[in-house]
Amino acid sequence: VQLQASGGGLVQPGGSLRLSCAASGFTLGYFHLYWFRQAPGKEREGLSCIGSSDIDTYYADSVKGRFTISRDNAKNTVYLQMNSLKPEDTAVYYCARGRPHVSSCPRLRDGEMDYWGKGTLVTVSS
């Protein structure tokens, strides 16, 4: 099982980025998928999840209305579209797979993940 996040980079405040998380070794559509981030000196923060049914999505208040999670089961990839980026969004962003029979969307608990991607750095700065 592997998760590979990509799409990070340097963007100006107010700009947009789309992160991708390519999954291998399992069928994406059977699992809840999550995005977390960790800023320097801060604890890891749960941002968003999408349920295995594709019906349920959830966003932390810090990103609600700006970020959108989606998945393409045919490509075995989950995405995070990030708009109206702010300097405080600067962090390493991680995708994760929810542990079967434990995780739930809308819960964003990192202890309920069983696999993590390596992370991709997003820097929001002028």
Side-chain angles (χ1 to χ4, degrees):
V1 172
Q2 285 193 328
L3 295 166
Q4 181 62 55
S6 62
L10 174 64
V11 63
Q12 291 187 341
S16 298
L17 280 176
R18 187 176 80 156
L19 304 183
S20 300
C21 177
S24 60
F26 69 100
T27 302
L28 198 76
Y30 293 157
F31 295 87
H32 303 325
L33 279 302
Y34 298 76
W35 285 98
F36 290 78
R37 70 184 177 189
Q38 189 164 21
K42 295 189 176 181
E43 292 187 355
R44 188 158 51 194
E45 175 189 13
L47 301 178
S48 182
C49 60
I50 182 165
S52 57
S53 67
D54 284 354
I55 296 174
D56 298 322
T57 59
Y58 178 78
Y59 301 91
D61 287 343
S62 58
V63 303
K64 194 177 297 181
R66 300 188 299 123
F67 290 12
T68 303
I69 192 170
S70 63
R71 65 200 294 165
D72 185 334
N73 291 336
K75 294 183 178 180
N76 234 32
T77 301
V78 62
Y79 302 98
L80 187 68
Q81 177 66 42
M82 307 187 296
N83 298 328
S84 303
L85 284 162
K86 307 174 183 179
E88 51 265 43
D89 293 318
T90 295
V92 177
Y93 285 69
Y94 300 90
C95 55
R97 189 183 84 169
R99 192 181 305 273
H101 310 299
V102 172
S103 65
S104 175
C105 183
R107 276 202 313 266
L108 299 173
R109 297 178 183 170
D110 55 8
E112 294 180 355
M113 307 299 111
D114 60 358
Y115 287 96
W116 294 82
K118 285 189 177 180
T120 184
L121 176 63
V122 173
T123 303
V124 185
S125 175
S126 55

